[in-house]
Amino acid sequence: MWNPLSDLRERIQGQGGMVNAHAHFDRAYSVTHADFAASHSGVGGAAGGLVNTHLHEKWKLVDRFKESASEEVYFRHITTVLRDQKRQGVQACLSFIDCDPVAGERALQAAVRAKEMASKELHMRFLIACQTLKGVLDREPRELFERALPYVDVIGGLPGADRGREEEHLDVLLRAGRETGKRVHVHVDQLNSATEKETELLCRKVMEHGMENRVTAVHGISIAAHSKAYRKEVYKMCRDAGLSFVACPTAWIDARRDETLAPTHNAVTPYDEMLPEGIVVAIGSDNICDLYKPFADGDMFTELRVLLESTHVYDVEELLRTAVVNGRKVLGLA
Ligand SMILES: [Zn+2]
């Protein structure tokens, strides 16, 4: 009897295993019982505890863990995930690591040590990108961003952290990419809303800075909430900018019900439309067992399965490419 999923799994292992192209290992396993407490009167005051607050609140709420975590604690969290990724047969992964005034340099230094451990003990590639949760425009976070540059493999960013000044945030990242020769990965269009046009902005900025083929967008969920004509235009811009994507399927499939009318779609990177456009899409786990995604376990096959189901892509060759080759490409390992 033929089982397509088992077949796909075997073929991926035959190519050395999956590539987890986007994650936040430094905060993995940081969720607590208190985060679930319904009585918690935390920021946002959401029913059902802090785990139910809005993304933008969570960007601040994770400060509690980050403030208290020593380099040793960070090292333990990162290496716990790395061992689990290895157990699954993942061949390489890239994690964003908080480099901001709250985490200081502790998470980054722990990640640098974990990278060596992964190489020596697990025979696995572990790449580091900086996460810029406090932006890159104010003096203190900017200094930490700049100090992190020599240690990261990929320059990471989150323009939403510099709300209202997203263009300047992208200028800083892309300039750093040009100066260091490193690839750039940027969180964009996360909220599944047609009010967001961050992918379009990113494409324009990539071309303005001459960074074509060296930049990857993480998520791009909101693209699917726009009209077909706009989506087509964005895909063309992505091709012109050589912009690749990382889909993190379970990360946004939980997008909240909303009465805004939009084209019917699942809250996932529009993988089905990007493939025929020739856009490179890789796959990542994103958050694991933290305040953002308390039940996420980092299982890359769950991610692949959710991606193929939510976009109805049954092309095994494409799925294989997404799981392995495209991951290596966006990590700069190809
Ligand atoms: Zn992320």
Side-chain angles (χ1 to χ4, degrees), residues 219-221 224 247-249 252-253 265-271 306-307 310-311:
H219 301 307
I221 310 295
C248 303
W252 283 103
I253 206 72
H265 66 281
N266 289 320
V268 73
T269 311
Y271 179 57
V306 173
L307 182 66
S310 59
T311 56

Side-chain angles (χ1 to χ4, degrees), residues 22-24 96 131 187 190 218-219 286-287:
H22 183 77
H24 296 268
F96 274 49
Q131 168 69 323
H187 291 91
Q190 305 193 69
V218 182
H219 301 307
D286 212 357
N287 302 76

